[in-house]
Amino acid sequence: SEFLLGVNMLSAKRRRRARWGRKHERTPLLSVEDGDASFKVLPKDASVFTLVLLMPPLERKIRGHWCSWSVALAFALLLITAVLQMVLTVMAGGYILQLQASSQSLLLPDSEPGAGSRALGALEKIGGRDSAPTGCCLGADCADDLPCCNRPGKSETPANPGFLELLKPGGSGAKGGKEGPKKTAKYRTAPICSKSENGGISCAPTALVMADPWKELDADGDGNWTVDEAKADATNLACVVGVSVEDVFRIALRGILRAQTVSNGKVLLPVADRGQTAGITRPHFEWWRGVMTICSATDPAQCGDLIDRGVFDGMLGNSSRRLDLDGALRYCQGLLSSGGLCEAALPSNALVHRKRSADACGAASYAPGLRHVNPFNDQDILTTNAVVFDTPKAFETMHSTNFRCFLFLVLVLWFSSLTKEVKDIIQLWDFLLSFPVEHAMPFITPEQKLAIAGVCRRVCQRLRARGVSCDSLESRISKLETPFEAQPVKLSELQITALDRPHHIICVIVAFLRTLFVIYLGWAGSVFILSNSTCMDLLLNALAIVFVFELDEFLWEYIVTGDIKEQVAEMNSLKFRSRFAVSGDVHELDVLMFLWGIVGIPGISLLIMAYHDYQRTWPMLEALTCACYLQGDRCMATTFFEKASWDQHWSYLAGFS
């Protein structure tokens, strides 16, 4: 039945348009005696907009002008409403959209390669630069502006394929990636996590690239990485990492010397000549590379998870050091704790990346974890702690079925409120396009009109005395001298049949601003609702956004005086010939809004909820899981902590201890 009714409405609309096109301009627009069903009554809502629409023509009917307290109050409230709604919409909407964009770009970059470069080029043209920088970069200073230059001496084969490959973003340990470090380099302001072409997610700092190519660092192949080789930077690694290779060398050397000072042989650190500070040997470089990888974790409580994953099992198997699980835990916590070895042995950009990762993960909470048994001593047992970060937990909640169902319901309520505002705006435009308009100046009182007419008549008399005709002004002077006929005081007998031209222009401006407002706040409000991670925040923030729509009703309720409210309530509603078709007592706009409410709103809410979960919530959850827990199906960090690779690493170091 609803479908047939909709078909009848569309047919009636075509007939209505045909009748409208045949009517002459002088056809009365408000002849309702014939019972024309195309006339519609404009609803009188309890809002400031209704006050602005009705009060000026009412005062002109009663007094002949707008100069009254009620009209001044109406326009003052209109100005306050417009300013408050625009300020709240622009400020809150801009903050919401910026927060949404920054939170996602913090973890995941633009999916389209080269988009940032094109945006940079556009900004350079706006800023007056003729073109983007050309050429390539040597060193760290220009790494943000130019591609890195290729220099001879680059080693294509890693020195220790069993573990070193895992540290290379896009390497063989990263699920078959083929990209080398030069192609996966990120700028110092890059997001925490990045996507590879094969779909993997890497949240490791670019400094890990420096921990990979030993043959590129030890240019002369003597087994000792010296400061002169770091200064020379034969393979331009500084551009890839974004920090000077010499600075990395000195930081690594400082971390090695500090570890030897505080370890006292209790950790698996190769023995070295204390007087040798001119270079870093290959075994010490291997140890520092392992420290770099462990320092990808941001919280000391994650040491328990690393122990459960078997990262330190190879260390426990070294009989000469006699380490147990407690010793491995102390070693790991000594690296990750505040003021620990990670802060002394990591390059500056790696420390910044580690701090940004910790901020993105949020506050940590702890719970008892798993029991881990020493594989070399079944009497050595350690119960680890499990760490849970707030931000990944919030996105897990957003991805749950219960939350998505609640989000769907809130979106339905939000779009229903939005639809009410849209319907009011459509009715206002329909009214403004159909209602008659008079050319009058309501700002002038009858006394002022008589005074102006007297001045004009005296001017005409002087012109006639000089032989100049003044017939063209006589009609206008006569209109000014026409006495004002007061309307009956009983408001129920008043019928407004036209709007003044200034009043019509003001109403058009209001309708235009309300249209822009509902479009912008509809978009920003939807984004704001989708960004909430708890049911309580979702509900309260949705109500807060709806309040911006109802600001005009709030001002009407608490500022407009009682006598003005009574006048508006007693007035006859404005009637106009609607441009929408009418069949019987059913209006086409009402049918469209009804169909949109039962079909469109649930459908669009479901699509938006599903798209948001697929396009933002799940990718962000994957990136946060990788950055915070170093785990995930597509997380490359998972391969960094494989037990076999670490067993090989500790076995290699044991041969030099």
Side-chain angles (χ1 to χ4, degrees):
S1 60
E2 295 295 342
F3 175 76
L4 295 177
L5 182 60
V7 173
N8 292 333
M9 292 297 98
L10 295 178
S11 301
K13 181 178 181 180
R14 289 193 293 268
R15 294 193 299 270
R16 174 72 183 85
R17 287 177 176 174
R19 292 198 307 269
W20 183 274
R22 292 193 297 267
K23 287 185 179 293
H24 194 268
E25 289 183 354
R26 294 187 177 89
T27 302
L29 295 177
L30 289 173
S31 178
V32 296
E33 290 79 13
D34 56 355
D36 193 345
S38 64
F39 280 92
K40 183 173 178 60
V41 176
L42 189 67
K44 291 193 301 182
D45 298 327
S47 69
V48 172
F49 300 121
T50 300
L51 183 66
V52 172
L53 191 63
L54 296 179
M55 192 54 62
L58 174 62
E59 289 296 320
R60 184 169 176 268
K61 282 285 187 179
I62 297 177
R63 308 175 189 274
H65 56 84
W66 286 2
C67 301
S68 66
W69 154 252
S70 56
V71 174
L73 177 63
F75 286 123
L77 291 179
L78 174 64
L79 181 61
I80 294 174
T81 303
V83 171
L84 289 179
Q85 287 188 336
M86 291 181 63
V87 169
L88 291 175
T89 301
V90 173
M91 293 183 63
Y95 173 77
I96 291 168
L97 296 177
Q98 181 181 3
L99 183 63
Q100 171 80 358
S102 62
S103 63
Q104 188 162 4
S105 63
L106 178 67
L107 287 167
L108 297 175
D110 195 340
S111 59
E112 182 180 359
S117 301
R118 290 193 297 274
L120 178 61
L123 291 176
E124 288 167 350
K125 292 180 181 179
I126 295 174
R129 296 176 60 176
D130 296 335
S131 61
T134 58
C136 58
C137 175
L138 288 175
D141 295 336
C142 54
D144 288 344
D145 302 322
L146 297 172
C148 298
C149 298
N150 291 323
R151 297 183 61 175
K154 181 177 180 295
S155 175
E156 299 295 340
T157 304
N160 189 359
F163 186 79
L164 291 174
E165 273 291 291
L166 302 181
L167 293 179
K168 182 185 295 185
S172 62
K175 301 185 185 295
K178 297 181 180 180
E179 296 294 332
K182 293 286 176 64
K183 296 183 179 180
T184 57
K186 298 296 176 184
Y187 299 140
R188 279 167 283 185
T189 56
I192 296 173
C193 298
S194 60
K195 294 179 181 178
S196 65
E197 294 182 359
N198 56 11
I201 299 176
S202 174
C203 299
T206 55
L208 280 181
V209 178
M210 187 69 73
D212 186 2
W214 168 256
K215 290 185 178 180
E216 296 180 19
L217 299 176
D218 183 18
D220 56 9
D222 62 350
N224 195 40
W225 181 28
T226 63
V227 66
D228 293 334
E229 292 171 332
K231 291 180 179 179
D233 190 15
T235 54
N236 197 23
L237 285 174
C239 179
V240 178
V241 181
V243 66
S244 169
V245 177
E246 181 184 358
D247 293 342
V248 175
F249 172 84
R250 297 187 183 279
I251 291 172
L253 184 61
R254 182 181 63 188
I256 292 171
L257 293 177
R258 177 178 172 181
Q260 289 180 340
T261 302
V262 302
S263 64
N264 295 324
K266 295 182 179 180
V267 297
L268 200 59
L269 184 66
V271 178
D273 182 6
R274 296 296 180 90
Q276 181 185 1
T277 59
I280 298 176
T281 63
R282 173 64 183 278
H284 287 88
F285 177 81
E286 291 292 322
W287 172 85
W288 175 72
R289 181 177 53 80
V291 170
M292 286 271 292
T293 308
I294 295 175
C295 291
S296 300
T298 59
D299 194 285
Q302 291 179 270
C303 290
D305 177 67
L306 297 181
I307 291 175
D308 291 334
R309 294 162 73 172
V311 171
F312 299 101
D313 284 354
M315 177 189 291
L316 301 176
N318 183 19
S319 58
S320 62
R321 295 301 178 105
R322 298 186 301 276
L323 289 177
D324 56 7
L325 289 174
D326 289 333
L329 181 63
R330 287 192 299 269
Y331 171 69
C332 178
Q333 292 176 341
L335 294 177
L336 301 181
S337 61
S338 177
L341 196 56
C342 287
E343 298 183 3
L346 292 184
S348 58
N349 61 346
L351 288 175
V352 172
H353 184 277
R354 189 167 183 263
K355 181 63 169 63
R356 293 177 62 201
S357 299
D359 293 340
C361 295
S365 56
Y366 310 100
L370 302 175
R371 288 177 77 248
H372 186 77
V373 180
N374 188 336
F376 304 98
N377 182 6
D378 56 4
Q379 300 300 317
D380 186 15
I381 301 174
L382 177 67
T383 300
T384 60
N385 292 328
V387 59
V388 178
F389 294 100
D390 285 351
T391 308
K393 183 179 180 181
F395 275 87
E396 288 178 4
T397 302
M398 295 172 65
H399 188 61
S400 64
T401 303
N402 291 339
F403 184 86
R404 283 183 286 176
C405 292
F406 189 78
L407 175 62
F408 168 75
L409 296 177
V410 172
L411 286 175
V412 169
L413 296 177
W414 162 245
F415 286 121
S416 299
S417 176
L418 206 62
T419 300
K420 177 183 178 298
E421 185 72 13
V422 171
K423 181 180 178 181
D424 293 341
I425 294 174
I426 293 175
Q427 289 179 335
L428 179 59
W429 278 115
D430 188 22
F431 169 78
L432 294 175
L433 293 174
S434 305
F435 204 67
V437 179
E438 294 180 347
H439 295 278
M441 295 299 294
F443 308 104
I444 305 175
T445 63
E447 293 78 9
Q448 293 172 340
K449 290 181 179 180
L450 291 176
I452 294 174
V455 173
C456 293
R457 189 165 294 281
R458 287 193 296 270
V459 171
C460 284
Q461 291 175 355
R462 293 180 181 180
L463 291 176
R464 289 194 183 96
R466 297 181 181 181
V468 180
S469 175
C470 195
D471 295 339
S472 60
L473 295 178
E474 282 294 336
S475 60
R476 299 183 180 181
I477 295 175
S478 300
K479 289 182 179 180
L480 292 175
E481 292 177 341
T482 301
F484 172 72
E485 298 180 0
Q487 297 290 334
V489 179
K490 191 174 182 180
L491 297 178
S492 59
E493 298 178 0
L494 287 178
Q495 182 66 48
I496 298 174
T497 58
L499 296 180
D500 303 321
R501 177 62 66 184
H503 186 211
H504 184 265
I505 294 175
I506 293 174
C507 292
V508 169
I509 295 174
V510 170
F512 178 73
L513 293 178
R514 289 181 68 182
T515 303
L516 294 180
F517 162 75
V518 74
I519 293 174
Y520 183 77
L521 189 59
W523 169 257
S526 300
V527 173
F528 185 46
I529 290 175
L530 293 172
S531 64
N532 291 277
S533 58
T534 64
C535 294
M536 185 60 66
D537 291 342
L538 185 62
L539 184 60
L540 294 179
N541 290 331
L543 292 176
I545 299 175
V546 172
F547 171 76
V548 180
F549 279 133
E550 298 178 351
L551 190 59
D552 57 313
E553 300 178 5
F554 178 82
L555 294 177
W556 163 276
E557 182 67 26
Y558 293 100
I559 296 182
V560 178
T561 58
D563 55 341
I564 295 180
K565 293 180 180 178
E566 292 178 358
Q567 288 181 350
V568 173
E570 191 177 351
M571 286 181 59
N572 290 322
S573 299
L574 298 178
K575 298 179 181 180
F576 64 98
R577 190 184 298 275
S578 175
R579 292 174 178 265
F580 292 93
V582 178
S583 178
D585 295 333
V586 182
H587 197 268
E588 181 185 16
L589 180 61
D590 297 332
V591 174
L592 293 176
M593 291 295 102
F594 173 76
L595 295 176
W596 169 252
I598 64 173
V599 178
I601 290 179
I604 197 69
S605 299
L606 184 62
L607 289 177
I608 290 177
M609 183 272 296
Y611 177 81
H612 175 263
D613 183 73
Y614 174 78
Q615 191 68 21
R616 180 178 183 270
T617 303
W618 177 245
M620 288 288 288
L621 179 58
E622 276 191 313
L624 286 168
T625 303
C626 183
C628 302
Y629 300 115
L630 308 175
Q631 296 178 2
D633 295 336
R634 296 195 298 161
C635 182
M636 296 181 181
T638 303
T639 59
F640 295 172
F641 297 96
E642 290 180 348
K643 182 179 182 301
S645 299
W646 279 95
D647 288 344
Q648 183 180 359
H649 173 74
W650 296 120
S651 176
Y652 174 81
L653 294 183
F656 298 92
S657 56

